[in-house]
Amino acid sequence: MDNQKPRVGFVFYGALVILLIMAVVGVAIPQSFFNASSAVRAFVSTHFGWYYLLLVSGCVLLCIYFIFSRYGNIRLGRPEDRPEYSYPTWFAMLFSSGMGVGLVFWSGAETVSHYATSAPEAEAGTEEALLDSMRYMFLHWGIHPWAIYGVTGICFAYFTFRRGAPGMVSAMLSPIMNEKGIGGKVVDIVALITTVSGIATVLGIGVTQVSGGMSYLFGTPNNYTMQLIVIVVITAMFLVSAYTGLNKGIKSLSNANIYLTIILFVLMLFVGPTLFSMNLFTNTLGTYIQTLPQMSFRIAPASESTREWINAWTIFYWAWWISWTPFIGIFIARVSRGRTLKEFTIGVILVPSIVSFIWFSLFGGATLNVQSTGMADIASLAPEEAIFGVFDQYPLSTVMSTIALLLIVSFFITSADSATFVLGMQTSNGAMNPSAVVKFTWGIMLSATAAVLLYSGGIDALQNVMIISALPFSIVMILMVYSLFKALREEQDIETKDKRKNPDKPNKAS
């Protein structure tokens, strides 16, 4: 498939037209667009919250099964394939594409919200709320989101690299449907719109934080005009990166992200409340493991206020991660070719989760320390300014804030660059090297979507569209899993029969 000639067709133009119509409506009648999307979001969160909880928890259980099942030794590629990237580079690419901007943005904003503004279980401002804050951070950023990515990544890697299918979402359904028919095209368009919505949300959040950080540090205006300028500048940067290709732009940026992350982490480790943060990490890890089943299925049917919190946070996150799966699942599969199913699952689930736990304990712990001791009222700051307000209370604040801004921009470029690659692949009949023109088209479309949604309602509008778009793709995910198991059983049956006829023949799975 790597030498396939890139070409575009109905899926490319169909998705592009739908997104352009959304953009025009968002610009022409922004308030009506925002009100309508808010109403649909409320309906989805209220009536399908239980469904999201069951689906995401099911992904976790499925990944555990893959690690210990007879399928674990199946190689995601041909039997002779071996990994293209070293472990450090592989982990860097997984981490940079999968979480990115959110690590910096939410480590301050979400932590302080759970503690001081809107606590998940206990009374806001109490010690119980402080501990609950970190426990739910672990839930929202740990095993569950990476399990969603892992399931999609396994499906894509298996069908594309082991069975030679085109790199299209519809091709994952080939055992159960005609992927080349109208149904397959609908699936691919749904995946594209979901991907653009999810990435546009992250880009919008990144833009607001860059603008907010510059405003906090340098006094520049934090308004839509400044956000638009940031979008234009960073779009130019990630298009240049996209032009250089996967093994240059994305690989180099992913490694740069890791270096910047390590530098910022070490600085906070030395100047922040390290003992408090490490104690918080240890305590939270224990309570997270103990209460994971309860948090995973918590829907609060008898408490309207609690249910509102779950809708605003947990359901929002599950929809967010689902909206990212067409992009992240495909991307992590692309960089994981040659690894076994067990190796892939362990690497995708455990390593990024543990890194996230440590990161949020350090930076979230610093935030909670500032808020709980009265050093500053971080809760009163805009979400995009929260982490900069935290840095301001510790030594080397300017250095850390500058590095954080660079890290946000770098994560921003990596996510957008990776997205243009995946979107280009999905609209070029699954070609592993989409043309620059196609990637540029999607890069501009991503930025334009983020700009329109910010214009029509800010971050809330971004979140509305993302949650709505995640619902149809969640159905595609279920079909992908069913299709995968059908294909795995067929392969195992063939190999079992072959083994009986040729007992000395090596197993093709490894």
Side-chain angles (χ1 to χ4, degrees):
M1 298 305 298
D2 295 88
N3 296 322
Q4 182 178 15
K5 183 179 178 180
R7 61 185 186 274
V8 298
F10 178 80
V11 172
F12 174 81
Y13 294 110
L16 201 60
V17 167
I18 293 172
L19 290 166
L20 286 172
I21 291 172
M22 288 175 54
V24 170
V25 172
V27 172
I29 46 173
Q31 191 58 50
S32 298
F33 180 83
F34 175 74
N35 293 340
S37 63
S38 296
V40 177
R41 172 188 175 174
F43 177 85
V44 170
S45 298
T46 300
H47 291 84
F48 292 93
W50 61 270
Y51 166 73
Y52 279 125
L53 294 182
L54 291 176
L55 177 67
V56 175
S57 297
C59 289
V60 175
L61 296 175
L62 188 59
C63 286
I64 295 173
Y65 170 77
F66 279 137
I67 292 172
F68 296 102
S69 76
R70 59 177 177 162
Y71 302 124
N73 292 326
I74 289 178
R75 193 167 296 280
L76 299 174
R78 295 183 295 270
E80 66 274 13
D81 283 346
R82 290 300 180 267
E84 183 178 358
Y85 302 102
S86 66
Y87 276 119
T89 297
W90 183 50
F91 291 141
M93 296 174 85
L94 293 179
F95 193 73
S96 296
S97 62
M99 293 302 180
V101 173
L103 285 174
V104 184
F105 186 93
W106 294 110
S107 58
E110 182 179 351
T111 310
V112 76
S113 176
H114 293 345
Y115 166 59
T117 305
S118 179
E121 295 185 25
E123 182 182 350
T126 62
E127 181 181 347
E128 291 79 7
L130 186 147
L131 298 177
D132 284 349
S133 172
M134 290 306 303
R135 183 161 56 95
Y136 276 90
M137 287 288 290
F138 279 26
L139 174 70
H140 295 154
W141 292 85
I143 291 173
H144 284 71
W146 286 102
I148 300 171
Y149 297 159
V151 167
T152 310
I154 289 168
C155 293
F156 181 82
Y158 176 82
F159 282 103
T160 303
F161 302 132
R162 191 166 184 85
R163 297 185 58 144
M168 309 282 287
V169 173
S170 59
M172 311 302 105
L173 306 179
S174 57
I176 62 174
M177 67 176 289
N178 177 15
E179 74 278 12
K180 295 181 180 179
I182 187 65
K185 290 180 171 57
V186 170
V187 166
D188 288 327
I189 290 175
V190 167
L192 284 167
I193 294 173
T194 303
T195 301
V196 172
S197 300
I199 297 299
T201 300
V202 174
L203 298 187
I205 289 174
V207 166
T208 59
Q209 192 165 37
V210 171
S211 177
M214 292 174 62
S215 175
Y216 190 90
L217 293 172
F218 311 119
T220 57
N222 185 17
N223 52 30
Y224 181 74
T225 300
M226 178 58 69
Q227 293 170 358
L228 196 59
I229 293 172
V230 172
I231 288 176
V232 171
V233 172
I234 296 185
T235 298
M237 295 171 69
F238 77 68
L239 289 180
V240 170
S241 176
Y243 182 76
T244 64
L246 180 66
N247 288 320
K248 293 183 179 179
I250 297 176
K251 180 179 177 180
S252 299
L253 283 169
S254 296
N255 287 327
N257 290 340
I258 294 300
Y259 296 140
L260 288 171
T261 300
I262 292 173
I263 293 171
L264 186 60
F265 182 89
V266 170
L267 287 175
M268 180 55 77
L269 194 66
F270 278 101
V271 305
T274 305
L275 180 60
F276 174 79
S277 295
M278 291 301 98
N279 286 337
L280 189 63
F281 165 75
T282 305
N283 185 84
T284 305
L285 186 61
T287 56
Y288 168 74
I289 294 171
Q290 291 171 4
T291 61
L292 187 58
Q294 179 265 332
M295 291 190 295
S296 299
F297 297 99
R298 180 172 177 250
I299 197 66
S303 174
E304 184 176 347
S305 60
T306 302
R307 179 60 191 275
E308 288 179 357
W309 188 95
I310 295 170
N311 288 345
W313 288 102
T314 304
I315 302 304
F316 157 69
Y317 271 122
W318 289 178
W320 187 356
W321 305 136
I322 290 171
S323 74
W324 265 45
T325 51
F327 154 50
I328 299 297
I330 290 172
F331 180 77
I332 63 176
R334 173 63 182 83
V335 300
S336 303
R337 181 175 187 169
R339 301 192 184 276
T340 65
L341 197 154
K342 179 187 297 184
E343 181 186 16
F344 173 91
T345 307
I346 292 174
V348 169
I349 297 294
L350 292 183
V351 175
S353 295
I354 292 171
V355 172
S356 295
F357 293 162
I358 296 173
W359 176 275
F360 283 117
S361 294
L362 186 64
F363 289 87
T367 303
L368 293 172
N369 182 67
V370 169
Q371 185 71 32
S372 62
T373 59
M375 295 169 61
D377 185 12
I378 304 300
S380 65
L381 296 176
E384 63 268 20
E385 296 179 352
I387 194 64
F388 299 103
V390 174
F391 292 151
D392 206 29
Q393 307 307 312
Y394 295 103
L396 303 177
S397 60
T398 303
V399 175
M400 288 194 293
S401 294
T402 302
I403 293 173
L405 272 177
L406 291 174
L407 186 59
I408 293 165
V409 172
S410 183
F411 272 139
F412 190 145
I413 296 172
T414 306
S415 295
D417 190 349
S418 305
T420 60
F421 173 83
V422 171
L423 289 167
M425 187 173 67
Q426 286 290 289
T427 50
S428 301
N429 197 35
M432 291 298 158
N433 296 293
S435 69
V437 173
V438 174
K439 288 192 292 184
F440 282 11
T441 300
W442 285 117
I444 294 170
M445 194 68 230
L446 284 171
S447 296
T449 302
V452 168
L453 292 175
L454 283 171
Y455 175 75
S456 63
I459 292 178
D460 287 338
L462 292 162
Q463 294 176 353
N464 291 346
V465 173
M466 180 198 64
I467 289 176
I468 295 167
S469 67
L471 183 60
F473 188 76
S474 69
I475 300 172
V476 176
M477 284 181 61
I478 295 173
L479 295 175
M480 288 170 62
V481 171
Y482 175 70
S483 178
L484 173 67
F485 271 100
K486 186 175 181 179
L488 286 171
R489 283 195 299 268
E490 290 174 355
E491 179 176 328
Q492 290 291 306
D493 290 343
I494 292 172
E495 290 196 357
T496 299
K497 292 177 182 178
D498 190 42
K499 190 69 175 177
R500 288 172 182 170
K501 294 180 180 178
N502 305 283
D504 297 327
K505 186 177 181 179
N507 192 337
K508 292 195 302 180
S510 58

